[in-house]
C-alpha cells in the first residue's frame, strides 16, 4: 500500500477490518515532533508503528461549495442526504443532455431542479428527483420524457429541452442518513443535497478520532484524523509484532483478572515511602512480581501505639488472627466523651483529676474530685452565665455500693446528682469497664465503635514477627474500606504482602513466563507499619473529617479583669482570715486517693465512701482544737504580708 494521509486512510477504512497496524511515513513537521490538538497529545516519529483499534466520528463540517461557508453537525443528525454525481449545475435540460453525451453516459439520467417546475398537468416541487428516460417528438417539438415518482404511481412529464433549471445530476437511490452517506466509499468525493439544511448543495467533511496503541505507551493514543501525517498500512507484514502496553496496578485491579499475573515493574511512583516493611525496599525498576488477586477481607484498621513518647502507626488487615482485650479509654475533655457516646450503649467514666467549678459557665456544674463516677447520658444545652446558651453534656453522678445500700434503707435520701459539663470542659476521665473477654479484630470492630483502646494478648500465629503484642496499649482509630492486591516477589515467593493501588500505584508490564502458584495458603503479612508522613496523609482524608471541631472555651477576662479579680480575692481572703480568730475552724478536705496507692488504674473503678463528706468540706465544725492544722501559723504569715 502506498503512503496516504491519515484522513484519507480513515475515510476509506472498513471498520470491520480493525485492528490495523500503520507505520508513520512522514509528517509536515520535523521528526519526533509533539502534536497537541484539543488536549490530545501524541508523539509521532517517522517509522513509528501504531495499532488502530477504534475510529469514532467526532463531528461533520458541512461546506457550501459556492460561498465557502461552513457549519458543524453532530453524528446524530437526523436529516437525509442525496448524492450529486457532478460538481456543477446546468441551466437547461439541453445542457444536461449535452454534458451526459460528452461523458458517454447513457439514458436514463437522474436529476433534480433547485426551483419549482410548473406544467399544465402538475407542479414539481424543488429538489424533487426526476428521471430523464428519452428524448421524443411531442407536438412537433423535441421534448424530454421524464418520470416523476409519486406516492401512488409514476407520473410522465414531457418537458421542453429549453426548460430552465438550474438542474443537478444525482446518483439514483433513496436518500441516505448521515452515517450511511459517509460510510459509502463511492460517495466520498460527491456533493450532497439535504432538504433540512439551508444550502442546496454541500460538501461533507467528516472529522474522526483515531484510537490506537503505541509501543510502551500506557494509555490509548487519541489522534485527530486532521493531523497532517502520512501513514502506510503494514498489517499483513506485522502479525508477529507485539505491542507492549504498560498498565498501572489500579488498572489491573479494575480489570479484575485473570489472576495470577506475572508483571515487571517499569516505574515507581514519586514521593516518600508509605510502608516501613522489608519488602518495600524490594520494589525497584526491573523487579518481577506475581499478582495473586484481590486481598480478602477488603477492610483495614488504622492503629497507633499508646504509652510511648513517640507513637508508631500500623495498618492491620481484617484477616488478623491475634486476640485483643479492651482497655479503658481516656478522655481529656467532655467533647471526647460526646464523641464516644453511642445510642443504646451506656458510657460510664471515672474522674482522674480534681476540677473546681470556677471559670465554668454551666450552672449545673460545681466540682469533680478524683474517683467521682459519672454516667454520660446525652448532649444538651444550658443557659450560660452571660445570658447565652452553651452546649453541654448531661451526666449522672453515680453512688458507690455502700451509699446505694444506705439509700435503699433511707427513703428520704435525695437522688444522685445530675451535672452539666460544657463541651469545652478540659477535665480528665477514664472509662469504667469490667470486660476481660478476648476478642478477634473482626468481632471487636463489629460490636464496638472506633476509636477503641485495646491490648493484644495473643499474637497472630500466621505472622511470627507480629509486633503488636509488645506494646502496652493500642488505639484502634479508624476502619478503612480499600481494595488491596496480594503480591509476591518472583525472587522470593515466600515473601507475600498486600499493596493498595490507590496509594502505591506501580507502573508494570506483563512479563514472560507463567506465574507460580504456591501449594498452600499465601503467607501474607497482616500487620504493616506506616511512615509518619503516610499516616498523617491518611488522617487528612475526607473519611477522617466527618466530625466538627471541638467547641472553643469562653474568652478570658483579659489582663485587667484578672487584676481586678485577684484584688477581690485578696480582699476576700484577708477578711476571711481575720474572722478565723472568732469563728470555728474549717474542716479539712479528705483525701480521695490512698497515699500508698501504687497502681492508679485500680482506683478508676472505685469511689471513696466519703463522697458526701467531700461535698461538705466547707462546713463548720465545733472542734476548734485540731493539732493537724496550724492556723496560727497561717495568721502569722498573713500579718507579715500586710
Amino acid at each position: 500500500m502506498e503512503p496516504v494521509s491519515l484522513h484519507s486512510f480513515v475515510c476509506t477504512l472498513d471498520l470491520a477490518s480493525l485492528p490495523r497496524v500503520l507505520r508513520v511515513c512522514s509528517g509536515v513537521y520535523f521528526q519526533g515532533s509533539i502534536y497537541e490538538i484539543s488536549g490530545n497529545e501524541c508523539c509521532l516519529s517517522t517509522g513509528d508503528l501504531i495499532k488502530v483499534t477504534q475510529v469514532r466520528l467526532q463531528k461533520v463540517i458541512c461546506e457550501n461549495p459556492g460561498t465557502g461557508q461552513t457549519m458543524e453537525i453532530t453524528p446524530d443528525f437526523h436529516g437525509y442526504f442525496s448524492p450529486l454525481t457532478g460538481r456543477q449545475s446546468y441551466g437547461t435540460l439541453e445542457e444536461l443532455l449535452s454534458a451526459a453525451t460528452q461523458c458517454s453516459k447513457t439514458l436514463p439520467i437522474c436529476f433534480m431542479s433547485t426551483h419549482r417546475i410548473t406544467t399544465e398537468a402538475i407542479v414539481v416541487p424543488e429538489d424533487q428527483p426526476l428521471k430523464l428516460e428519452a428524448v421524443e417528438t411531442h407536438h412537433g417539438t423535441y421534448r424530454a420524457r421524464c418520470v416523476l415518482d409519486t406516492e401512488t404511481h409514476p407520473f410522465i412529464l414531457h418537458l421542453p429541452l429549453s426548460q430552465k433549471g438550474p438542474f443537478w445530476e444525482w446518483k439514483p437511490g433513496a436518500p441516505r442518513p448521515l452515517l450511511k452517506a459517509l460510510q459509502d466509499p463511492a460517495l466520498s468525493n460527491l456533493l450532497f443535497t439535504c432538504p433540512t439544511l439551508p444550502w442546496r448543495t454541500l460538501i461533507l467533511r467528516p472529522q474522526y478520532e483515531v484510537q490506537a496503541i503505541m509501543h510502551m505507551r500506557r494509555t490509548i493514543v487519541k489522534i485527530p484524523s486532521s493531523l497532517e501525517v502520512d501513514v502506510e498500512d503494514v498489517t499483513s507484514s506485522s502479525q508477529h509484532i507485539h505491542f507492549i502496553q504498560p498498565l498501572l496496578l489500579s488498572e489491573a485491579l479494575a480489570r479484575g483478572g485473570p489472576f495470577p499475573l506475572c508483571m515487571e515493574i517499569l516505574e515507581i511512583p514519586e514521593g516518600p515511602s508509605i510502608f516501613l516493611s522489608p519488602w518495600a525496599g524490594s520494589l525497584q525498576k526491573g523487579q518481577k512480581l506475581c499478582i495473586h488477586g484481590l486481598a480478602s477481607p477488603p477492610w483495614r484498621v488504622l492503629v497507633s501505639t499508646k504509652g510511648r513518647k513517640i507513637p508508631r502507626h500500623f495498618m492491620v488487615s481484617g484477616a488478623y488472627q491475634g486476640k485483643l482485650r479492651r482497655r479503658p479509654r481516656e478522655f481529656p475533655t467532655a467533647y471526647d466523651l460526646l464523641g464516644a457516646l453511642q445510642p443504646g450503649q451506656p458510657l460510664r467514666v471515672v474522674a482522674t483529676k480534681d476540677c473546681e467549678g470556677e471559670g465554668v459557665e454551666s450552672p449545673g456544674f460545681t466540682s469533680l474530685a478524683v474517683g467521682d463516677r459519672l454516667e454520660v447520658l446525652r448532649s444538651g444545652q444550658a443557659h450560660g452565665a452571660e445570658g447565652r446558651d452553651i452546649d453541654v453534656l448531661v451526666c449522672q453522678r453515680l453512688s458507690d455500693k455502700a451509699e446505694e445500700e444506705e439509700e435503699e434503707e433511707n427513703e428520704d435520701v435525695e437522688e444522685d446528682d445530675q451535672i452539666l459539663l460544657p463541651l469545652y470542659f478540659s477535665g480528665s476521665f477514664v472509662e469504667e469497664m469490667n470486660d476481660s473477654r478476648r476478642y478477634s479484630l473482626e468481632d471487636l470492630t463489629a460490636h464496638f465503635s472506633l476509636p477503641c483502646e485495646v491490648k493484644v494478648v495473643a499474637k497472630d500465629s500466621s505472622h511470627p514477627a507480629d509486633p503488636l503484642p509488645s506494646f502496652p496499649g493500642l488505639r484502634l482509630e479508624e476502619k478503612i474500606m480499600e481494595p488491596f492486591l496480594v503480591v509476591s516477589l518472583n525472587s522470593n515467593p515466600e515473601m507475600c504482602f498486600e499493596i493498595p493501588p490507590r496509594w502505591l500505584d506501580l507502573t508494570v508490564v506483563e512479563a514472560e513466563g507463567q506465574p507460580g502458584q504456591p501449594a498452600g495458603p499465601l503467607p501474607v503479612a497482616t500487620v504493616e507499619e506506616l511512615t509518619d508522613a503516610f499516616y498523617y496523609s491518611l488522617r487528612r482524608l475526607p473519611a477522617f473529617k466527618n466530625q466538627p471541631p471541638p467547641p472553643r472555651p469562653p474568652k478570658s477576662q483579659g489582663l485587667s479583669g484578672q487584676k481586678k479579680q485577684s484584688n477581690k480575692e485578696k480582699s476576700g481572703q484577708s477578711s476571711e482570715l481575720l474572722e478565723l480568730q472568732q469563728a470555728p475552724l474549717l474542716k479539712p478536705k479528705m483525701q480521695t486517693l490512698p497515699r500508698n496507692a501504687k497502681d492508679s488504674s485500680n482506683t478508676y473503678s472505685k469511689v471513696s465512701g466519703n463522697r458526701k463528706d467531700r461535698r461538705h468540706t466547707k462546713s463548720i465544725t465545733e472542734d476548734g482544737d485540731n493539732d493537724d492544722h496550724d492556723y496560727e501559723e497561717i495568721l502569722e504569715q498573713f500579718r507579715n504580708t500586710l
Side-chain angles (χ1 to χ4, degrees), residues 244-274:
I244 299 177
Q245 187 178 8
L247 74 158
L248 298 172
L249 284 185
S250 57
E251 296 171 343
L253 176 65
R255 291 195 316 190
F259 297 112
L261 292 174
C262 189
M263 293 290 181
E264 180 179 339
I265 299 178
L266 292 182
E267 187 178 354
I268 306 294
E270 297 181 355
S273 59
I274 64 176

mmCIF file of all heavy atoms in Angstrom, residues 244-274:
data_model
loop_
_atom_site.group_PDB
_atom_site.id
_atom_site.type_symbol
_atom_site.label_atom_id
_atom_site.label_comp_id
_atom_site.label_asym_id
_atom_site.label_seq_id
_atom_site.Cartn_x
_atom_site.Cartn_y
_atom_site.Cartn_z
ATOM 1 N N ILE A 244 3.853 -3.747 23.402
ATOM 2 C CA ILE A 244 3.967 -3.782 24.859
ATOM 3 C C ILE A 244 3.249 -2.566 25.423
ATOM 4 O O ILE A 244 3.627 -1.422 25.149
ATOM 5 C CB ILE A 244 5.440 -3.791 25.297
ATOM 6 C CG1 ILE A 244 6.137 -5.037 24.753
ATOM 7 C CG2 ILE A 244 5.546 -3.735 26.813
ATOM 8 C CD1 ILE A 244 7.612 -5.097 25.081
ATOM 9 N N GLN A 245 2.208 -2.826 26.204
ATOM 10 C CA GLN A 245 1.388 -1.748 26.754
ATOM 11 C C GLN A 245 1.467 -1.778 28.277
ATOM 12 O O GLN A 245 0.897 -2.659 28.917
ATOM 13 C CB GLN A 245 -0.064 -1.887 26.296
ATOM 14 C CG GLN A 245 -0.934 -0.701 26.686
ATOM 15 C CD GLN A 245 -2.349 -0.848 26.181
ATOM 16 O OE1 GLN A 245 -2.725 -1.908 25.671
ATOM 17 N NE2 GLN A 245 -3.143 0.194 26.312
ATOM 18 N N PRO A 246 2.177 -0.835 28.891
ATOM 19 C CA PRO A 246 2.236 -0.792 30.355
ATOM 20 C C PRO A 246 0.861 -0.494 30.951
ATOM 21 O O PRO A 246 -0.033 0.046 30.280
ATOM 22 C CB PRO A 246 3.223 0.350 30.643
ATOM 23 C CG PRO A 246 3.945 0.578 29.364
ATOM 24 C CD PRO A 246 2.990 0.220 28.280
ATOM 25 N N LEU A 247 0.703 -0.828 32.206
ATOM 26 C CA LEU A 247 -0.522 -0.507 32.924
ATOM 27 C C LEU A 247 -0.200 -0.270 34.387
ATOM 28 O O LEU A 247 0.854 -0.676 34.883
ATOM 29 C CB LEU A 247 -1.564 -1.607 32.778
ATOM 30 C CG LEU A 247 -1.363 -2.918 33.546
ATOM 31 C CD1 LEU A 247 -2.696 -3.627 33.696
ATOM 32 C CD2 LEU A 247 -0.396 -3.842 32.838
ATOM 33 N N LEU A 248 -1.104 0.406 35.053
ATOM 34 C CA LEU A 248 -0.975 0.667 36.478
ATOM 35 C C LEU A 248 -1.610 -0.479 37.276
ATOM 36 O O LEU A 248 -2.475 -1.208 36.762
ATOM 37 C CB LEU A 248 -1.646 1.985 36.845
ATOM 38 C CG LEU A 248 -1.069 3.250 36.194
ATOM 39 C CD1 LEU A 248 -1.955 4.443 36.505
ATOM 40 C CD2 LEU A 248 0.346 3.502 36.686
ATOM 41 N N LEU A 249 -1.190 -0.598 38.529
ATOM 42 C CA LEU A 249 -1.821 -1.605 39.389
ATOM 43 C C LEU A 249 -3.311 -1.329 39.548
ATOM 44 O O LEU A 249 -4.115 -2.265 39.654
ATOM 45 C CB LEU A 249 -1.137 -1.617 40.757
ATOM 46 C CG LEU A 249 0.238 -2.289 40.850
ATOM 47 C CD1 LEU A 249 0.699 -2.319 42.295
ATOM 48 C CD2 LEU A 249 0.216 -3.683 40.268
ATOM 49 N N SER A 250 -3.681 -0.055 39.569
ATOM 50 C CA SER A 250 -5.099 0.284 39.678
ATOM 51 C C SER A 250 -5.878 -0.197 38.460
ATOM 52 O O SER A 250 -7.039 -0.592 38.567
ATOM 53 C CB SER A 250 -5.262 1.794 39.851
ATOM 54 O OG SER A 250 -4.654 2.492 38.775
ATOM 55 N N GLU A 251 -5.240 -0.173 37.275
ATOM 56 C CA GLU A 251 -5.903 -0.677 36.078
ATOM 57 C C GLU A 251 -6.015 -2.194 36.107
ATOM 58 O O GLU A 251 -7.022 -2.764 35.673
ATOM 59 C CB GLU A 251 -5.137 -0.215 34.843
ATOM 60 C CG GLU A 251 -5.139 1.295 34.658
ATOM 61 C CD GLU A 251 -4.197 1.758 33.568
ATOM 62 O OE1 GLU A 251 -3.310 0.976 33.170
ATOM 63 O OE2 GLU A 251 -4.344 2.904 33.118
ATOM 64 N N ALA A 252 -4.969 -2.855 36.612
ATOM 65 C CA ALA A 252 -5.057 -4.310 36.775
ATOM 66 C C ALA A 252 -6.148 -4.689 37.763
ATOM 67 O O ALA A 252 -6.856 -5.694 37.581
ATOM 68 C CB ALA A 252 -3.707 -4.857 37.237
ATOM 69 N N LEU A 253 -6.311 -3.874 38.806
ATOM 70 C CA LEU A 253 -7.375 -4.113 39.777
ATOM 71 C C LEU A 253 -8.744 -3.917 39.136
ATOM 72 O O LEU A 253 -9.670 -4.694 39.375
ATOM 73 C CB LEU A 253 -7.200 -3.177 40.968
ATOM 74 C CG LEU A 253 -8.278 -3.206 42.045
ATOM 75 C CD1 LEU A 253 -8.293 -4.559 42.743
ATOM 76 C CD2 LEU A 253 -8.050 -2.103 43.064
ATOM 77 N N ALA A 254 -8.873 -2.873 38.292
ATOM 78 C CA ALA A 254 -10.159 -2.600 37.653
ATOM 79 C C ALA A 254 -10.532 -3.685 36.639
ATOM 80 O O ALA A 254 -11.713 -3.989 36.457
ATOM 81 C CB ALA A 254 -10.117 -1.235 36.971
ATOM 82 N N ARG A 255 -9.532 -4.266 35.987
ATOM 83 C CA ARG A 255 -9.821 -5.336 35.026
ATOM 84 C C ARG A 255 -10.343 -6.580 35.713
ATOM 85 O O ARG A 255 -11.095 -7.359 35.132
ATOM 86 C CB ARG A 255 -8.560 -5.679 34.227
ATOM 87 C CG ARG A 255 -8.132 -4.580 33.279
ATOM 88 C CD ARG A 255 -7.116 -5.058 32.258
ATOM 89 N NE ARG A 255 -6.064 -5.894 32.796
ATOM 90 C CZ ARG A 255 -4.996 -6.248 32.099
ATOM 91 N NH1 ARG A 255 -4.847 -5.831 30.855
ATOM 92 N NH2 ARG A 255 -4.067 -7.010 32.653
ATOM 93 N N GLY A 256 -9.929 -6.800 36.956
ATOM 94 C CA GLY A 256 -10.433 -7.933 37.719
ATOM 95 C C GLY A 256 -9.874 -9.273 37.307
ATOM 96 O O GLY A 256 -10.483 -10.311 37.546
ATOM 97 N N GLY A 257 -8.702 -9.306 36.712
ATOM 98 C CA GLY A 257 -8.088 -10.581 36.377
ATOM 99 C C GLY A 257 -7.922 -10.752 34.880
ATOM 100 O O GLY A 257 -8.057 -9.801 34.112
ATOM 101 N N PRO A 258 -7.611 -11.961 34.449
ATOM 102 C CA PRO A 258 -7.495 -13.180 35.270
ATOM 103 C C PRO A 258 -6.198 -13.209 36.065
ATOM 104 O O PRO A 258 -5.167 -12.720 35.602
ATOM 105 C CB PRO A 258 -7.532 -14.309 34.230
ATOM 106 C CG PRO A 258 -6.985 -13.678 32.984
ATOM 107 C CD PRO A 258 -7.401 -12.239 33.011
ATOM 108 N N PHE A 259 -6.261 -13.740 37.274
ATOM 109 C CA PHE A 259 -5.111 -13.871 38.153
ATOM 110 C C PHE A 259 -4.724 -15.351 38.248
ATOM 111 O O PHE A 259 -5.574 -16.228 38.070
ATOM 112 C CB PHE A 259 -5.435 -13.312 39.536
ATOM 113 C CG PHE A 259 -5.750 -11.842 39.535
ATOM 114 C CD1 PHE A 259 -7.040 -11.394 39.815
ATOM 115 C CD2 PHE A 259 -4.777 -10.906 39.246
ATOM 116 C CE1 PHE A 259 -7.331 -10.041 39.823
ATOM 117 C CE2 PHE A 259 -5.059 -9.551 39.247
ATOM 118 C CZ PHE A 259 -6.335 -9.120 39.533
ATOM 119 N N PRO A 260 -3.440 -15.630 38.511
ATOM 120 C CA PRO A 260 -2.344 -14.702 38.805
ATOM 121 C C PRO A 260 -1.753 -14.073 37.539
ATOM 122 O O PRO A 260 -1.906 -14.604 36.443
ATOM 123 C CB PRO A 260 -1.313 -15.589 39.506
ATOM 124 C CG PRO A 260 -1.581 -16.959 38.957
ATOM 125 C CD PRO A 260 -3.052 -17.036 38.700
ATOM 126 N N LEU A 261 -1.057 -12.931 37.723
ATOM 127 C CA LEU A 261 -0.406 -12.207 36.641
ATOM 128 C C LEU A 261 1.071 -12.060 36.962
ATOM 129 O O LEU A 261 1.431 -11.711 38.089
ATOM 130 C CB LEU A 261 -1.032 -10.813 36.468
ATOM 131 C CG LEU A 261 -2.478 -10.735 35.958
ATOM 132 C CD1 LEU A 261 -2.952 -9.297 35.996
ATOM 133 C CD2 LEU A 261 -2.585 -11.291 34.555
ATOM 134 N N CYS A 262 1.899 -12.307 35.975
ATOM 135 C CA CYS A 262 3.332 -12.112 36.128
ATOM 136 C C CYS A 262 3.688 -10.760 35.523
ATOM 137 O O CYS A 262 3.465 -10.536 34.323
ATOM 138 C CB CYS A 262 4.099 -13.234 35.436
ATOM 139 S SG CYS A 262 5.880 -13.221 35.797
ATOM 140 N N MET A 263 4.207 -9.856 36.343
ATOM 141 C CA MET A 263 4.454 -8.484 35.932
ATOM 142 C C MET A 263 5.897 -8.093 36.234
ATOM 143 O O MET A 263 6.563 -8.694 37.082
ATOM 144 C CB MET A 263 3.497 -7.532 36.663
ATOM 145 C CG MET A 263 2.040 -7.696 36.290
ATOM 146 S SD MET A 263 1.724 -7.126 34.616
ATOM 147 C CE MET A 263 -0.045 -7.403 34.485
ATOM 148 N N GLU A 264 6.341 -7.060 35.523
ATOM 149 C CA GLU A 264 7.647 -6.464 35.766
ATOM 150 C C GLU A 264 7.464 -4.980 36.029
ATOM 151 O O GLU A 264 6.704 -4.306 35.316
ATOM 152 C CB GLU A 264 8.569 -6.674 34.576
ATOM 153 C CG GLU A 264 9.959 -6.083 34.764
ATOM 154 C CD GLU A 264 10.865 -6.325 33.578
ATOM 155 O OE1 GLU A 264 10.588 -7.258 32.802
ATOM 156 O OE2 GLU A 264 11.852 -5.567 33.408
ATOM 157 N N ILE A 265 8.126 -4.463 37.054
ATOM 158 C CA ILE A 265 7.975 -3.057 37.432
ATOM 159 C C ILE A 265 8.731 -2.185 36.429
ATOM 160 O O ILE A 265 9.914 -2.405 36.156
ATOM 161 C CB ILE A 265 8.503 -2.820 38.861
ATOM 162 C CG1 ILE A 265 7.715 -3.648 39.868
ATOM 163 C CG2 ILE A 265 8.414 -1.343 39.221
ATOM 164 C CD1 ILE A 265 8.207 -3.512 41.299
ATOM 165 N N LEU A 266 8.031 -1.199 35.887
ATOM 166 C CA LEU A 266 8.649 -0.217 34.994
ATOM 167 C C LEU A 266 8.935 1.097 35.695
ATOM 168 O O LEU A 266 9.899 1.787 35.371
ATOM 169 C CB LEU A 266 7.746 0.043 33.781
ATOM 170 C CG LEU A 266 7.572 -1.088 32.779
ATOM 171 C CD1 LEU A 266 6.686 -0.631 31.636
ATOM 172 C CD2 LEU A 266 8.911 -1.547 32.239
ATOM 173 N N GLU A 267 8.058 1.465 36.636
ATOM 174 C CA GLU A 267 8.211 2.776 37.273
ATOM 175 C C GLU A 267 7.604 2.735 38.665
ATOM 176 O O GLU A 267 6.557 2.106 38.883
ATOM 177 C CB GLU A 267 7.539 3.855 36.421
ATOM 178 C CG GLU A 267 7.774 5.282 36.891
ATOM 179 C CD GLU A 267 7.117 6.304 35.985
ATOM 180 O OE1 GLU A 267 6.578 5.906 34.930
ATOM 181 O OE2 GLU A 267 7.135 7.494 36.334
ATOM 182 N N ILE A 268 8.285 3.423 39.589
ATOM 183 C CA ILE A 268 7.804 3.560 40.968
ATOM 184 C C ILE A 268 7.241 4.967 41.124
ATOM 185 O O ILE A 268 7.860 5.938 40.665
ATOM 186 C CB ILE A 268 8.941 3.337 41.987
ATOM 187 C CG1 ILE A 268 9.630 1.999 41.726
ATOM 188 C CG2 ILE A 268 8.425 3.388 43.414
ATOM 189 C CD1 ILE A 268 8.776 0.800 41.951
ATOM 190 N N PRO A 269 6.078 5.136 41.734
ATOM 191 C CA PRO A 269 5.545 6.487 41.906
ATOM 192 C C PRO A 269 6.461 7.341 42.771
ATOM 193 O O PRO A 269 7.081 6.862 43.726
ATOM 194 C CB PRO A 269 4.180 6.258 42.573
ATOM 195 C CG PRO A 269 4.251 4.886 43.158
ATOM 196 C CD PRO A 269 5.178 4.105 42.288
ATOM 197 N N GLU A 270 6.551 8.611 42.409
ATOM 198 C CA GLU A 270 7.397 9.521 43.161
ATOM 199 C C GLU A 270 6.775 9.834 44.515
ATOM 200 O O GLU A 270 5.575 9.712 44.715
ATOM 201 C CB GLU A 270 7.611 10.808 42.360
ATOM 202 C CG GLU A 270 8.343 10.592 41.044
ATOM 203 C CD GLU A 270 8.549 11.893 40.290
ATOM 204 O OE1 GLU A 270 8.042 12.939 40.759
ATOM 205 O OE2 GLU A 270 9.203 11.865 39.235
ATOM 206 N N GLY A 271 7.613 10.294 45.425
ATOM 207 C CA GLY A 271 7.138 10.664 46.748
ATOM 208 C C GLY A 271 7.729 9.783 47.827
ATOM 209 O O GLY A 271 8.396 8.776 47.550
ATOM 210 N N PRO A 272 7.498 10.149 49.075
ATOM 211 C CA PRO A 272 8.038 9.361 50.195
ATOM 212 C C PRO A 272 7.380 7.992 50.270
ATOM 213 O O PRO A 272 6.254 7.789 49.808
ATOM 214 C CB PRO A 272 7.711 10.213 51.423
ATOM 215 C CG PRO A 272 6.533 11.048 51.007
ATOM 216 C CD PRO A 272 6.714 11.315 49.547
ATOM 217 N N SER A 273 8.094 7.046 50.857
ATOM 218 C CA SER A 273 7.553 5.698 51.012
ATOM 219 C C SER A 273 6.416 5.709 52.024
ATOM 220 O O SER A 273 6.312 6.596 52.872
ATOM 221 C CB SER A 273 8.659 4.739 51.472
ATOM 222 O OG SER A 273 9.206 5.184 52.706
ATOM 223 N N ILE A 274 5.559 4.722 51.918
ATOM 224 C CA ILE A 274 4.395 4.678 52.800
ATOM 225 C C ILE A 274 4.498 3.544 53.816
ATOM 226 O O ILE A 274 3.868 3.614 54.875
ATOM 227 C CB ILE A 274 3.094 4.559 51.985
ATOM 228 C CG1 ILE A 274 3.052 3.247 51.204
ATOM 229 C CG2 ILE A 274 2.954 5.737 51.037
ATOM 230 C CD1 ILE A 274 1.736 3.035 50.468
#
